[in-house]
Amino acid sequence: MKHNRRKFILTSSLIGGTILAGGLNTSSFAKSINIIKKNSNMKLTFKPYTLELKHVFTLATSSRTTTPVMLTQIEYDGTIGYGEASMPPYLGESHETASRFLSKVDLSQFKDPFEVENILEYVDSIDPLNPAAKASVDIALHDIVGKLIGKPWYKIWGFDKDKTPFTSFTIGIDTSEVVKQKVKEADEYKVLKVKLGRDTDKEMIETIRSVTDKPLVVDVNQGWKDKFFALDMINWLNERNVKMVEQPMPKEMIEDMAWLTEKSPLPTFGDESVQRIPDVIKAYGVYSGINIKLMKCTGLREAHKMMTLAKSLGMQVMLGCMTETSCGISAVSQLSPGIQWADLDGALLISNDPFEGTKVIDGKVVLTDDPGIGISKVLSH
Ligand code: MG
């Protein structure tokens, strides 16, 4: 401590001396600042990884068989925290953008991982975009902080592990025979999620209804462009045991969406419309609820704040995910005892998950008691 203080005084006088001598040498100035700030050995590392999907994943606008992710680690004092950025191509992030962003993150300037607010404000300030890359730092940081405290985050936040919700399981758009097969394979899930937003929507629901009467939730991914059509569809779905509708209309159609929510017999949820905290306020009065995803909102710190804000506004909250490893899913599921709607099937849809953590058992989200984000084992991928 004494040594550091002396070093600080010495450095300060050197900078001062340079200025007095008539010109600031910028490189020695930067070097001096570096000496003052470098006071921890907290280190971020990252490596690209590609998730293999069990089925071709089809949305209203695209299909794919893999998802690029970036796996991160923060190491501090012999403890390692794990994180992940999942980057479906349509959201604009990639291995290249995440690498570029993460290369700029210098955690050595912070004293220790407990400076969560300072660290994540700094990470957010590096660039206005890159939400998934930011989430990969946030998740690893939460993991290491929980490990240093010796508790999982659901406990740190004060949630009851027994109150985790059932998760929906997504049945992607496909041929009638494949859809029926997928529904059979999804036997253990209590709620199925169906992707709509094409002109075959009613056939898709009728195909599923020919094999099961389980409750359904639907995600239109902005696919319905007319509010009267959307309301007719929702009324039709309401008669077929559908429980809620996610992002029925394009995110720009705010007034039409508010009209639809007011008339709709089912709760509506904003997903593409809701990325970060300010979007929660914008969604108030437009949707019944919001879909929070770590990869959109930069991680657990902001997700927890968004959840608190939405609930205080009387809105419903859903937790969603991309196709992710058990790292991202275990992280977000730490919040799940606090919400009604979970769509946390991301790790179940991939065949090369390098982590173990939160499980889905008989359709219910089951948290581990391991500290941090609840990852108990890292497989050798
Ligand atoms: Mg969605």
Side-chain angles (χ1 to χ4, degrees):
M1 192 67 192
K2 216 173 210 174
H3 175 73
N4 282 345
R5 196 159 163 262
R6 277 186 62 188
K7 198 192 273 177
F8 177 75
I9 292 164
L10 180 67
T11 313
S12 303
S13 61
L14 271 176
I15 296 167
T18 314
I19 293 167
L20 279 176
L24 179 64
N25 178 328
T26 48
S27 71
S28 74
F29 179 76
K31 211 170 163 189
S32 307
I33 293 292
N34 220 20
I35 292 167
I36 298 165
K37 288 176 120 187
K38 269 203 187 254
N39 51 8
S40 88
N41 57 355
M42 205 179 352
K43 195 178 150 207
L44 173 73
T45 52
F46 51 91
K47 74 167 183 197
Y49 189 68
T50 300
L51 303 182
E52 307 289 339
L53 310 186
K54 287 179 187 166
H55 290 283
V56 178
F57 194 70
T58 306
L59 294 174
T61 50
S62 61
S63 296
R64 64 178 201 278
T65 54
T66 60
T67 302
V69 301
M70 190 65 92
L71 302 178
T72 55
Q73 290 189 13
I74 295 176
E75 212 173 327
Y76 172 76
D77 212 13
T79 304
I80 296 176
Y82 296 96
E84 170 183 18
S86 172
M87 302 171 290
Y90 62 93
L91 294 176
E93 285 182 83
S94 62
H95 284 151
E96 290 71 29
T97 62
S99 273
R100 213 176 304 136
F101 179 83
L102 294 170
S103 302
K104 294 180 197 161
V105 177
D106 174 17
L107 299 184
S108 68
Q109 62 188 293
F110 297 95
K111 192 163 84 275
D112 61 49
F114 292 103
E115 285 188 70
V116 174
E117 290 286 324
N118 283 344
I119 294 170
L120 295 177
E121 266 173 33
Y122 151 73
V123 170
D124 198 20
S125 74
I126 293 173
D127 182 292
L129 302 173
N130 296 287
K134 289 173 183 176
S136 74
V137 181
D138 168 289
I139 294 168
L141 190 64
H142 279 80
D143 194 32
I144 199 166
V145 166
K147 282 172 174 164
L148 292 169
I149 295 173
K151 301 276 184 227
W153 272 92
Y154 83 83
K155 271 193 185 167
I156 298 170
W157 280 318
F159 292 124
D160 178 350
K161 190 182 169 189
D162 294 337
K163 290 190 176 167
T164 53
F166 288 104
T167 180
S168 54
F169 182 84
T170 298
I171 305 294
I173 295 168
D174 219 312
T175 62
S176 165
E177 284 318 300
V178 175
V179 166
K180 285 182 190 170
Q181 186 56 37
K182 285 181 180 172
V183 170
K184 278 180 198 153
E185 285 170 20
D187 191 42
E188 77 165 288
Y189 303 99
K190 311 293 183 225
V191 183
L192 300 179
K193 175 167 169 172
V194 187
K195 294 283 192 181
L196 298 182
R198 292 184 163 191
D199 41 14
T200 51
D201 286 354
K202 287 190 176 176
E203 287 163 56
M204 179 75 181
I205 296 294
E206 276 162 354
T207 301
I208 292 172
R209 280 288 167 256
S210 73
V211 283
T212 181
D213 55 5
K214 276 181 192 173
L216 303 178
V217 295
V218 302
D219 187 354
V220 189
N221 288 118
Q222 315 184 75
W224 299 335
K225 316 292 182 195
D226 177 87
K227 66 180 179 183
F228 298 104
F229 174 79
L231 184 58
D232 284 348
M233 278 303 295
I234 293 175
N235 283 323
W236 186 86
L237 293 167
N238 186 39
E239 291 163 7
R240 284 157 182 81
N241 200 22
V242 171
K243 299 299 184 190
M244 64 98 122
V245 183
E246 196 180 324
Q247 199 68 51
M249 300 183 71
K251 60 183 177 183
E252 302 79 16
M253 297 179 73
I254 296 165
E255 281 180 25
D256 289 355
M257 194 53 236
W259 177 91
L260 183 62
T261 295
E262 202 189 321
K263 302 268 188 294
S264 172
L266 298 177
T268 62
F269 281 72
D271 180 6
E272 287 86 338
S273 296
V274 180
Q275 315 286 316
R276 302 195 55 182
I277 290 172
D279 301 318
V280 181
I281 309 284
K282 290 182 199 156
Y284 179 63
V286 178
Y287 297 92
S288 321
I290 59 166
N291 184 350
I292 300 173
K293 294 175 182 167
L294 299 187
M295 300 304 150
K296 292 190 298 182
C297 78
T298 73
L300 286 168
R301 167 177 170 263
E302 188 141 336
H304 186 246
K305 291 177 182 183
M306 289 171 76
M307 181 174 143
T308 308
L309 175 58
K311 285 169 86 172
S312 71
L313 291 168
M315 299 177 80
Q316 298 185 38
V317 177
M318 167 183 184
L319 289 176
C321 59
M322 311 299 173
T323 40
E324 293 171 20
T325 74
S326 288
C327 176
I329 298 299
S330 299
V332 72
S333 65
Q334 300 296 312
L335 291 164
S336 70
I339 52 107
Q340 306 95 318
W341 304 90
D343 181 29
L344 301 178
D345 60 355
L348 306 167
L349 305 172
I350 62 172
S351 57
N352 59 342
D353 189 348
F355 297 99
E356 273 190 14
T358 293
K359 296 245 180 316
V360 177
I361 299 174
D362 289 334
K364 191 176 158 73
V365 175
V366 178
L367 303 175
T368 72
D369 265 326
D370 294 296
I373 59 169
I375 297 176
S376 57
K377 191 177 171 190
V378 183
L379 304 174
S380 58
H381 280 277

